Amino acid sequence: MPRPPLLRTTPLGSARRRTILKAGGTLLLSVLGPLPAQAAQILAVRVWPADDYTRVTLENDGDLKATHFMVPNPPRLVVDIDGLALNDTLKGLVAKIESNDPYIKQVRVGQNRPNVVRLVFDLKEEVKPQVFTLPPVAGYHNRLIFDLYPLTPADPLAALIQQRDWTTGDAPPAPDALGTIARQDGGEAPAMPVPPMTQAPRPTLAPTPAPSAAPAGLPKVTRMVTIALDPGHGGEDPGATGGTGVHEKDIVLEIARRLKAKLEGMPNTRVLLTRDADYFVPLGTRVDKARKVQADLFVSIHADAFVERTARGSSVFVLSEKGATSSAARWLANDQNKADLIGGVNLANHDRQLASVLLDLSTTAQISDSLKLGKAVLSEIGGINKLHRGIVEQAGFAVLKAPDIPSILVETAFISNPEEEARLKDDGYKDQLADAITKGIRRYFAANPPMAKSRMA
């Protein structure tokens, strides 16, 4: 009996089947059209209002592209974001705008056209917007940032002068700390003796007549003392986080506020906070603010974490030009110097030249005076908490690079240590820290009275 013919399994048959399948697939695609790209999703929205500027952050799961333009009368900022679908998280931006925001009145959000979302910021005044993106870092996904700056930037010196509450007049002179400085209210007071110059030179005033009780042969100066306090981190940069969820940025701001009040209780002393609320300030801007007010001292306040939860104790750091004094100091400096990456700096407008100049101008005299200040403060802090090491350490902290201002960074305690985290959350301990730093500053000025400089107010 003859066999039935076999099915063709030759290469010719395979090629024919592939041709038929390809033709069918092409027909299907021509009917359905190209598959649309998946739109990015907004994961979180955050708003950080401040006098310096207001920041709006859209955290998303993709790389967004945005265009923006300003509309006058009334002032508005219009932003179109490509490749984005409107979702409930983005709609929630409307409720995030607070009535006391210095620059934003309200925001409107809508789907302008397919895959394009439009944001309209109704403004309280004209602004200079910066719109930029940030890549994923430190637990954040991609971020689209809107920074709304005033047309005329805030002047930290003008803000200090406007306060006019630098001394209450109730605090008696403290000869063991600041000497006797002329009162701001114009009353007669002896001038402060000025020792031989050890810092970078500054413009000097004509010497005033010396009182009979003062050491002979030294010029006298009457002026305000200005101290810059720098609460670390802020805004998009929470700093270290303790086991109970408390953020370093919140703890150090509370300590700085307490310290500011105590320092302003000293005669003829005024204090600048590099940030007075929860917003991010780039490292170079912190230094620049201190220099604009010709600060006599710069004190940066932190409560850092370490890889080992057992690490504990307070520390004081100053700048080093020759490397860190310990591996832990190097680790902490590297960690703190990441603040601009985490907090978010617009690289297109970042003043890299300024950062380079500050590094180049850091002088031996500044570091020498910083060490004196650091030793005085560390000695006082040692009376309320265990010291991580019994010496002032040195490392390349970017925030300490003002070339003409004695600068220290105080690690109040390790927030990663459960016991020290509990102390940092305690109001009594925060007050003790502020007292200790104040006493250290008074001790420093007793041995190193501030030098003459041009009167600013």
PDB file of all heavy atoms in Angstrom, residues 399-418:
ATOM      1  N   VAL A 399      32.067  73.312  53.910  1.00  0.00           N
ATOM      2  CA  VAL A 399      31.378  74.432  54.536  1.00  0.00           C
ATOM      3  C   VAL A 399      32.302  75.248  55.441  1.00  0.00           C
ATOM      4  O   VAL A 399      31.925  76.330  55.910  1.00  0.00           O
ATOM      5  CB  VAL A 399      30.156  73.905  55.328  1.00  0.00           C
ATOM      6  CG1 VAL A 399      30.569  73.330  56.673  1.00  0.00           C
ATOM      7  CG2 VAL A 399      29.101  74.977  55.515  1.00  0.00           C
ATOM      8  N   LEU A 400      33.511  74.783  55.675  1.00  0.00           N
ATOM      9  CA  LEU A 400      34.446  75.488  56.548  1.00  0.00           C
ATOM     10  C   LEU A 400      35.485  76.285  55.771  1.00  0.00           C
ATOM     11  O   LEU A 400      36.476  76.742  56.345  1.00  0.00           O
ATOM     12  CB  LEU A 400      35.170  74.479  57.464  1.00  0.00           C
ATOM     13  CG  LEU A 400      34.284  73.653  58.398  1.00  0.00           C
ATOM     14  CD1 LEU A 400      35.140  72.722  59.254  1.00  0.00           C
ATOM     15  CD2 LEU A 400      33.415  74.540  59.285  1.00  0.00           C
ATOM     16  N   LYS A 401      35.265  76.495  54.473  1.00  0.00           N
ATOM     17  CA  LYS A 401      36.317  77.050  53.623  1.00  0.00           C
ATOM     18  C   LYS A 401      36.255  78.559  53.422  1.00  0.00           C
ATOM     19  O   LYS A 401      36.806  79.075  52.463  1.00  0.00           O
ATOM     20  CB  LYS A 401      36.306  76.331  52.271  1.00  0.00           C
ATOM     21  CG  LYS A 401      36.745  74.874  52.391  1.00  0.00           C
ATOM     22  CD  LYS A 401      36.753  74.163  51.054  1.00  0.00           C
ATOM     23  CE  LYS A 401      37.229  72.724  51.214  1.00  0.00           C
ATOM     24  NZ  LYS A 401      37.206  71.976  49.949  1.00  0.00           N
ATOM     25  N   ALA A 402      35.604  79.288  54.317  1.00  0.00           N
ATOM     26  CA  ALA A 402      35.702  80.748  54.259  1.00  0.00           C
ATOM     27  C   ALA A 402      37.131  81.131  54.604  1.00  0.00           C
ATOM     28  O   ALA A 402      37.621  80.794  55.684  1.00  0.00           O
ATOM     29  CB  ALA A 402      34.726  81.394  55.225  1.00  0.00           C
ATOM     30  N   PRO A 403      37.835  81.829  53.734  1.00  0.00           N
ATOM     31  CA  PRO A 403      39.259  82.067  53.967  1.00  0.00           C
ATOM     32  C   PRO A 403      39.556  83.052  55.078  1.00  0.00           C
ATOM     33  O   PRO A 403      40.687  83.101  55.548  1.00  0.00           O
ATOM     34  CB  PRO A 403      39.745  82.596  52.620  1.00  0.00           C
ATOM     35  CG  PRO A 403      38.546  83.228  52.010  1.00  0.00           C
ATOM     36  CD  PRO A 403      37.380  82.388  52.441  1.00  0.00           C
ATOM     37  N   ASP A 404      38.568  83.845  55.489  1.00  0.00           N
ATOM     38  CA  ASP A 404      38.837  84.925  56.436  1.00  0.00           C
ATOM     39  C   ASP A 404      37.959  84.864  57.678  1.00  0.00           C
ATOM     40  O   ASP A 404      37.846  85.854  58.394  1.00  0.00           O
ATOM     41  CB  ASP A 404      38.657  86.280  55.747  1.00  0.00           C
ATOM     42  CG  ASP A 404      37.339  86.350  54.981  1.00  0.00           C
ATOM     43  OD1 ASP A 404      36.598  85.343  54.973  1.00  0.00           O
ATOM     44  OD2 ASP A 404      37.052  87.399  54.389  1.00  0.00           O
ATOM     45  N   ILE A 405      37.329  83.719  57.952  1.00  0.00           N
ATOM     46  CA  ILE A 405      36.453  83.594  59.112  1.00  0.00           C
ATOM     47  C   ILE A 405      36.829  82.333  59.884  1.00  0.00           C
ATOM     48  O   ILE A 405      36.778  81.230  59.322  1.00  0.00           O
ATOM     49  CB  ILE A 405      34.966  83.499  58.707  1.00  0.00           C
ATOM     50  CG1 ILE A 405      34.564  84.669  57.819  1.00  0.00           C
ATOM     51  CG2 ILE A 405      34.076  83.447  59.948  1.00  0.00           C
ATOM     52  CD1 ILE A 405      33.150  84.539  57.248  1.00  0.00           C
ATOM     53  N   PRO A 406      37.202  82.440  61.161  1.00  0.00           N
ATOM     54  CA  PRO A 406      37.407  81.228  61.961  1.00  0.00           C
ATOM     55  C   PRO A 406      36.132  80.379  61.933  1.00  0.00           C
ATOM     56  O   PRO A 406      35.043  80.863  62.260  1.00  0.00           O
ATOM     57  CB  PRO A 406      37.697  81.774  63.360  1.00  0.00           C
ATOM     58  CG  PRO A 406      38.233  83.142  63.119  1.00  0.00           C
ATOM     59  CD  PRO A 406      37.502  83.660  61.917  1.00  0.00           C
ATOM     60  N   SER A 407      36.263  79.116  61.541  1.00  0.00           N
ATOM     61  CA  SER A 407      35.089  78.283  61.272  1.00  0.00           C
ATOM     62  C   SER A 407      35.245  76.911  61.920  1.00  0.00           C
ATOM     63  O   SER A 407      36.304  76.280  61.810  1.00  0.00           O
ATOM     64  CB  SER A 407      34.897  78.106  59.758  1.00  0.00           C
ATOM     65  OG  SER A 407      34.790  79.354  59.099  1.00  0.00           O
ATOM     66  N   ILE A 408      34.175  76.455  62.571  1.00  0.00           N
ATOM     67  CA  ILE A 408      34.173  75.120  63.172  1.00  0.00           C
ATOM     68  C   ILE A 408      32.895  74.403  62.797  1.00  0.00           C
ATOM     69  O   ILE A 408      31.873  75.027  62.485  1.00  0.00           O
ATOM     70  CB  ILE A 408      34.314  75.161  64.710  1.00  0.00           C
ATOM     71  CG1 ILE A 408      33.116  75.885  65.348  1.00  0.00           C
ATOM     72  CG2 ILE A 408      35.634  75.798  65.124  1.00  0.00           C
ATOM     73  CD1 ILE A 408      33.100  75.811  66.878  1.00  0.00           C
ATOM     74  N   LEU A 409      32.960  73.085  62.826  1.00  0.00           N
ATOM     75  CA  LEU A 409      31.771  72.246  62.635  1.00  0.00           C
ATOM     76  C   LEU A 409      31.619  71.403  63.886  1.00  0.00           C
ATOM     77  O   LEU A 409      32.539  70.669  64.273  1.00  0.00           O
ATOM     78  CB  LEU A 409      31.924  71.372  61.387  1.00  0.00           C
ATOM     79  CG  LEU A 409      30.715  70.528  60.988  1.00  0.00           C
ATOM     80  CD1 LEU A 409      30.617  70.404  59.462  1.00  0.00           C
ATOM     81  CD2 LEU A 409      30.768  69.120  61.598  1.00  0.00           C
ATOM     82  N   VAL A 410      30.455  71.520  64.537  1.00  0.00           N
ATOM     83  CA  VAL A 410      30.191  70.814  65.789  1.00  0.00           C
ATOM     84  C   VAL A 410      29.278  69.629  65.505  1.00  0.00           C
ATOM     85  O   VAL A 410      28.152  69.809  65.023  1.00  0.00           O
ATOM     86  CB  VAL A 410      29.540  71.750  66.830  1.00  0.00           C
ATOM     87  CG1 VAL A 410      29.242  70.983  68.124  1.00  0.00           C
ATOM     88  CG2 VAL A 410      30.427  72.955  67.110  1.00  0.00           C
ATOM     89  N   GLU A 411      29.783  68.435  65.775  1.00  0.00           N
ATOM     90  CA  GLU A 411      28.937  67.238  65.754  1.00  0.00           C
ATOM     91  C   GLU A 411      28.420  67.054  67.176  1.00  0.00           C
ATOM     92  O   GLU A 411      29.127  66.587  68.052  1.00  0.00           O
ATOM     93  CB  GLU A 411      29.738  66.017  65.296  1.00  0.00           C
ATOM     94  CG  GLU A 411      30.158  66.049  63.840  1.00  0.00           C
ATOM     95  CD  GLU A 411      29.008  65.788  62.887  1.00  0.00           C
ATOM     96  OE1 GLU A 411      27.875  65.556  63.368  1.00  0.00           O
ATOM     97  OE2 GLU A 411      29.229  65.821  61.670  1.00  0.00           O
ATOM     98  N   THR A 412      27.166  67.442  67.408  1.00  0.00           N
ATOM     99  CA  THR A 412      26.635  67.473  68.771  1.00  0.00           C
ATOM    100  C   THR A 412      26.535  66.092  69.391  1.00  0.00           C
ATOM    101  O   THR A 412      26.693  65.929  70.601  1.00  0.00           O
ATOM    102  CB  THR A 412      25.248  68.129  68.765  1.00  0.00           C
ATOM    103  OG1 THR A 412      24.411  67.450  67.810  1.00  0.00           O
ATOM    104  CG2 THR A 412      25.354  69.599  68.362  1.00  0.00           C
ATOM    105  N   ALA A 413      26.252  65.081  68.574  1.00  0.00           N
ATOM    106  CA  ALA A 413      26.151  63.698  69.030  1.00  0.00           C
ATOM    107  C   ALA A 413      25.856  62.842  67.807  1.00  0.00           C
ATOM    108  O   ALA A 413      25.568  63.366  66.722  1.00  0.00           O
ATOM    109  CB  ALA A 413      25.054  63.523  70.086  1.00  0.00           C
ATOM    110  N   PHE A 414      25.917  61.534  67.958  1.00  0.00           N
ATOM    111  CA  PHE A 414      25.601  60.620  66.859  1.00  0.00           C
ATOM    112  C   PHE A 414      24.128  60.244  66.923  1.00  0.00           C
ATOM    113  O   PHE A 414      23.693  59.525  67.819  1.00  0.00           O
ATOM    114  CB  PHE A 414      26.469  59.372  66.926  1.00  0.00           C
ATOM    115  CG  PHE A 414      27.850  59.563  66.385  1.00  0.00           C
ATOM    116  CD1 PHE A 414      28.893  59.922  67.230  1.00  0.00           C
ATOM    117  CD2 PHE A 414      28.112  59.406  65.039  1.00  0.00           C
ATOM    118  CE1 PHE A 414      30.175  60.111  66.737  1.00  0.00           C
ATOM    119  CE2 PHE A 414      29.388  59.592  64.528  1.00  0.00           C
ATOM    120  CZ  PHE A 414      30.415  59.945  65.377  1.00  0.00           C
ATOM    121  N   ILE A 415      23.372  60.726  65.955  1.00  0.00           N
ATOM    122  CA  ILE A 415      21.949  60.441  65.920  1.00  0.00           C
ATOM    123  C   ILE A 415      21.691  58.967  65.602  1.00  0.00           C
ATOM    124  O   ILE A 415      20.594  58.452  65.834  1.00  0.00           O
ATOM    125  CB  ILE A 415      21.252  61.363  64.896  1.00  0.00           C
ATOM    126  CG1 ILE A 415      19.767  61.491  65.186  1.00  0.00           C
ATOM    127  CG2 ILE A 415      21.506  60.892  63.470  1.00  0.00           C
ATOM    128  CD1 ILE A 415      19.070  62.552  64.358  1.00  0.00           C
ATOM    129  N   SER A 416      22.707  58.279  65.090  1.00  0.00           N
ATOM    130  CA  SER A 416      22.579  56.853  64.797  1.00  0.00           C
ATOM    131  C   SER A 416      22.716  55.990  66.041  1.00  0.00           C
ATOM    132  O   SER A 416      22.425  54.793  66.013  1.00  0.00           O
ATOM    133  CB  SER A 416      23.645  56.440  63.771  1.00  0.00           C
ATOM    134  OG  SER A 416      24.947  56.837  64.202  1.00  0.00           O
ATOM    135  N   ASN A 417      23.171  56.576  67.142  1.00  0.00           N
ATOM    136  CA  ASN A 417      23.271  55.863  68.418  1.00  0.00           C
ATOM    137  C   ASN A 417      21.958  56.038  69.175  1.00  0.00           C
ATOM    138  O   ASN A 417      21.544  57.179  69.433  1.00  0.00           O
ATOM    139  CB  ASN A 417      24.453  56.416  69.222  1.00  0.00           C
ATOM    140  CG  ASN A 417      24.647  55.710  70.545  1.00  0.00           C
ATOM    141  OD1 ASN A 417      23.792  55.773  71.418  1.00  0.00           O
ATOM    142  ND2 ASN A 417      25.780  55.045  70.694  1.00  0.00           N
ATOM    143  N   PRO A 418      21.255  54.962  69.529  1.00  0.00           N
ATOM    144  CA  PRO A 418      19.930  55.100  70.166  1.00  0.00           C
ATOM    145  C   PRO A 418      19.937  55.974  71.413  1.00  0.00           C
ATOM    146  O   PRO A 418      19.025  56.783  71.618  1.00  0.00           O
ATOM    147  CB  PRO A 418      19.542  53.654  70.489  1.00  0.00           C
ATOM    148  CG  PRO A 418      20.312  52.823  69.506  1.00  0.00           C
ATOM    149  CD  PRO A 418      21.606  53.541  69.298  1.00  0.00           C
TER     150      PRO A 418
END
